[in-house]
Amino acid sequence: MKQIERQVAAALQSQLSRISVIQLENMETTVDWRAHSLEAMHRPDIVAHVIADGAPVEIICEVKERGYPKQVRQAIAQLQAWRSVAAHDAVAMVGSTWLSPESRSICDEAGVGWIDLAGNCRIAFGGIHVERETTERPKPAARSFRSIFSPKSAQVLRVLLKDPTRPWKVSDLAEASGVSLGQVSNVRSALIDREWAMADEEGLHLTNPEALLDAWRDEYEPVRGERSSWYTVMHGRELDQALRKLRAPADANGHSMLAGLSAAAWLAPYLRGTSTTSIYADEAAVPSIVERLKLRPAGSGANVEIIVPDDPALLNERVEQPNAPPVAPPVLTYLDLYQLHDRGREAANHLREKLLSWH
């Protein structure tokens, strides 16, 4: 935190230096005060004294390493508490390594400025108003934000999104998602920090599944695994009949499920016919798929793609419906479709409206 305080203080100093009507007199951080000073324990992390249009102004800034909504609200509460006991007014700001648009909005609603190490800032008081926003994120902040969408965490999220209203105990959620208690606890904390979920005596349940899915969509990385291209002479009803046979009981044939547009055609039909059939499958299922669909390897002109996920547990989430082949779950299908752009995104939005609407 000492390093982050110094970095935020330097960023604030840099932004203030760009405002011609402001003259910085001095700036202090808790690092500058004695480590065991009682005064330091009860002061904001950064205090800057400036002269603005000839008048003295004090700017106070509370710094949080992670600028998630929960931490930002805590910082605002600390600033408001300090201002309530101070003998004078001060311009309040929240600083962090990176502040998401949601966190910045929380500051705006509270009448508090903001600044982060990515270059985002809002400094407003008197007749001064400076606001800058960027899409850039410091690498550590980007990694931290994306960590909730890692493959193991994603298993937890897909379980939660099946029924956002259901409360989950940590142990039950770990069993249902097939991940460790520690992993579930990490996801739980991350969801609460971002204000996408809350925990009460009944357990953890999502409070803003739409925001969670939006963020996941924007950060989504395709399923990792081995991809192979094939060609089949089958099409239309003949191909559909062959695909239905993929739902045979689990045995040496392994597991498989349709993916992307191929899955959407059975979950929430939108586009008529697709040029490529996409299939998630474990290694044991591939020979059977090749035989049933009469596949042959294709360097070009492929019309079937088989993806063998690095994590075969993904296939345990397949959706099986009467008289239909097994398909990827709606959340995974939505995320895959959205990466296709154009008509794929149209199909994604259609599927979300039909199956993933929780208003």
Side-chain angles (χ1 to χ4, degrees), residues 197-334:
M198 64 173 291
D200 53 29
E201 59 183 14
E202 293 184 332
L204 176 75
H205 49 93
L206 296 179
T207 54
N208 198 343
E210 292 86 0
L212 165 58
L213 189 56
D214 286 344
W216 193 357
R217 174 198 66 200
D218 295 340
E219 299 291 333
Y220 181 67
E221 295 182 359
V223 173
R224 300 171 187 168
E226 181 181 348
R227 296 171 181 263
S228 56
S229 299
W230 306 80
Y231 178 80
T232 180
V233 295
M234 290 184 175
H235 63 277
R237 291 184 179 180
E238 183 185 14
L239 179 59
D240 286 347
Q241 288 298 330
L243 291 172
R244 286 188 178 97
K245 293 179 182 179
L246 297 181
R247 69 187 305 269
D251 51 20
N253 292 329
H255 297 299
S256 63
M257 61 187 183
L258 297 184
L261 288 169
S262 303
W266 297 87
L267 287 170
Y270 181 75
L271 299 178
R272 289 188 177 181
T274 58
S275 58
T276 301
T277 299
S278 299
I279 304 172
Y280 286 125
D282 57 29
E283 290 183 358
V286 174
S288 177
I289 295 172
V290 170
E291 178 182 356
R292 288 176 178 176
L293 302 187
K294 300 178 182 180
L295 302 181
R296 65 172 185 263
S300 61
N303 56 9
V304 175
E305 180 186 39
I306 299 178
I307 305 103
V308 178
D310 289 345
D311 183 5
L314 182 71
L315 297 162
N316 295 331
E317 301 177 30
R318 64 191 180 281
V319 176
E320 298 191 356
Q321 305 173 97
N323 197 35
V327 297
V331 168
L332 178 59
T333 301
Y334 169 75

Side-chain angles (χ1 to χ4, degrees), residues 155-156 159-160 166-192 198-205:
Q155 291 178 219
V156 180
V159 170
L160 289 169
R166 173 179 171 175
W168 286 90
K169 299 296 185 182
V170 170
S171 57
D172 294 336
L173 188 53
E175 181 178 356
S177 59
V179 303
S180 68
L181 290 171
Q183 184 71 40
V184 171
S185 295
N186 290 337
V187 172
R188 177 183 182 275
S189 297
L191 290 171
I192 293 173
M198 64 173 291
D200 53 29
E201 59 183 14
E202 293 184 332
L204 176 75
H205 49 93

Side-chain angles (χ1 to χ4, degrees), residues 20-36:
S20 59
V21 296
I22 287 183
Q23 177 185 345
L24 176 64
E25 290 196 311
N26 65 73
M27 180 179 293
E28 294 179 305
T29 71
T30 52
V31 182
D32 302 316
W33 302 318
R34 289 182 301 170
H36 302 293

Side-chain angles (χ1 to χ4, degrees), residues 68 137-148 194:
Y68 298 137
R137 279 183 285 178
K139 289 183 178 179
R143 285 196 300 270
S144 175
F145 188 82
R146 285 197 301 267
S147 64
I148 192 174
R194 292 163 172 80

